[in-house]
Amino acid sequence: SPWKPVLLLLSPPAFSTTCARCAKDRRLRQKRAISERQLTRYFVDQRKVRVVGGQGGEGGHSFHSEPRKVFGGPDGGNGGDGGHVIFKADQQMKSLSSVFPFYQGFHGERGGSKNCYGANGAHMYVKVPVGTLVKEDGQVVADLTQHGEEYIAAYGGAGGKGNRFFLSNENRAPKLFTPGEPGQERVLHLELRTTAHAGLVGFPNAGKSSLLRAISRAKPAVAAYPFTTLNPHVGIVHYQDYEQVAVADIPGLIKGAHQNRGLGMAFLKHIERCRFLLYVVDLSVPQPWIQLQDLKDELEAYEKGLSERPCVVIGNKVDLAQSRINLPLLREQIGERVIALSALTGDNLEELLLHLRELYDTYVKTEQSRGQSPVKW
């Protein structure tokens, strides 16, 4: 027969609970190496912005003139108002990298004859990510936490008055008109606090970046030698029902981070907006439960109650021999659930993905019961 049998090769499932070889096919895909210095242009969490409102248009100066009407009187209209500079939260924006250091509103037009007012200047809208804090002289003046929320950063100047405005019984032919007022000028500091659902919290070299690369398409820098992440990264975990869970890789903390040691306050602030926490502990170090307690102490010292949020403990590097010895000891020392996995080989990643979805579903139900809308990505 000319027909030959065709062997159909089925692709492996997204994750499996049987063996490490079938745990995660995504880990086999090679990702382009990128350095931490290059990543600064992809994720920016602070910006200094100078904003100036548009200048108001000057008032008109004219007198009405038509045949057989010699003294028509003043008819100069008022100038248009200058446009505002407005910050608008947009959930499509994930970084402050697209925010420029200077913005100015559009100017109002000059008042015309025949009592015509000048057109107002258009407003300048600046899109910023959801979760952006606006500070002036160290004080918080706005917190944009909802999609579509707006804050007027700089008001436009009022338009000038035309000579028609100054008409009175004492002055029937006023020549006076006023220029438009200048717009408001401010220097503001924008600060982005990550609004991810989950935050990876751990000491340097615990494997947080490798874990984020394994469960999402984020590309934080990793290497075979010890170093710490300098910029926070956000990865999206996709599920089959099209739900998306955002996981943030918070740069490694050290003892005394709440006193601004190391990277300190610059990245502890990103944990504030996370709805639940994933403590990443290196199982290969001696007494890994001490790491966990130190992490909770730093979070509690920074903000009271922060360490009491819903969480799960992740024991990373279970592929090492010493880690398998420390795992039962860690479970004896703490009363919380411990998920042992290996971000390098993909062992037991499916348990983390399933538990991550449970935490997300609990968060959504809690927000809906309070009458609030949960954060969606």
Side-chain angles (χ1 to χ4, degrees), residues 82-324:
H84 307 325
V85 179
I86 302 175
F87 292 148
K88 185 173 183 179
D90 189 347
Q91 63 183 4
Q92 300 296 328
M93 304 290 294
K94 305 302 179 186
S95 171
L96 295 173
S97 58
S98 60
V99 177
F100 296 115
F102 175 74
Y103 288 97
Q104 183 171 23
F106 294 96
H107 301 317
E109 295 185 2
R110 179 178 180 176
S113 59
K114 301 181 181 180
N115 298 323
C116 292
Y117 282 30
N120 294 332
H123 299 320
M124 172 70 70
Y125 285 91
V126 182
K127 292 183 178 181
V128 297
V130 176
T132 299
L133 283 178
V134 184
K135 293 184 177 181
E136 185 177 21
D137 297 331
Q139 301 294 325
V140 177
V141 295
D143 188 1
L144 306 177
T145 59
Q146 300 293 330
H147 174 71
E149 192 174 356
E150 297 180 359
Y151 171 70
I152 301 179
Y155 286 91
K161 303 299 183 182
N163 61 341
R164 170 72 181 183
F165 178 82
F166 299 98
L167 177 64
S168 64
N169 291 331
E170 291 78 16
N171 188 3
R172 305 302 300 173
K175 297 181 179 180
L176 177 64
F177 65 97
T178 59
E181 296 182 1
Q184 184 184 17
E185 182 175 353
R186 303 170 72 186
V187 177
L188 302 175
H189 293 266
L190 303 184
E191 184 178 297
L192 175 60
R193 297 194 176 181
T194 308
T195 57
H197 299 117
L200 295 174
V201 184
F203 285 107
N205 304 307
K208 301 184 300 297
S209 299
S210 300
L211 181 58
L212 187 65
R213 290 173 69 98
I215 64 177
S216 71
R217 294 187 177 181
K219 300 178 181 179
V222 295
Y225 50 87
F227 76 100
T228 184
T229 303
L230 300 179
N231 299 284
H233 304 273
V234 179
I236 308 300
V237 180
H238 299 267
Y239 290 90
Q240 292 182 353
D241 57 352
Y242 303 105
E243 284 288 351
Q244 299 180 0
V245 180
V247 181
D249 174 19
I250 309 300
L253 303 178
I254 62 173
K255 276 190 174 183
H258 68 281
Q259 300 174 348
N260 209 19
R261 293 180 182 175
L263 298 176
M265 300 291 193
F267 298 110
L268 273 170
K269 62 189 179 185
H270 290 281
I271 307 177
E272 293 182 31
R273 299 287 177 89
C274 295
R275 273 59 183 181
F276 39 90
L277 304 177
L278 307 178
Y279 293 103
V280 182
V281 179
D282 186 356
L283 289 177
S284 62
V285 301
Q287 299 181 333
W289 51 89
I290 297 181
Q291 278 193 1
L292 180 62
Q293 188 59 43
D294 290 341
L295 288 172
K296 291 186 176 182
D297 292 343
E298 289 298 325
L299 296 183
E300 196 66 24
Y302 175 70
E303 181 181 339
K304 189 175 182 180
L306 188 59
S307 63
E308 299 176 359
R309 294 188 181 182
C311 66
V312 64
V313 180
I314 300 174
N316 195 16
K317 304 181 183 180
V318 75
D319 53 308
L320 301 179
Q322 185 62 35
S323 300
R324 289 190 287 270

Side-chain angles (χ1 to χ4, degrees), residues 145-146 195-198 243-246 273-276 310 356-370 372-377:
T145 59
Q146 300 293 330
T195 57
H197 299 117
E243 284 288 351
Q244 299 180 0
V245 180
R273 299 287 177 89
C274 295
R275 273 59 183 181
F276 39 90
L356 183 63
R357 181 58 189 270
E358 293 176 4
L359 292 173
Y360 174 75
D361 291 339
T362 303
Y363 155 71
V364 171
K365 292 179 181 178
T366 303
E367 291 296 309
Q368 291 176 349
S369 63
R370 297 176 180 174
Q372 301 178 359
S373 58
V375 176
K376 295 286 186 179
W377 279 69

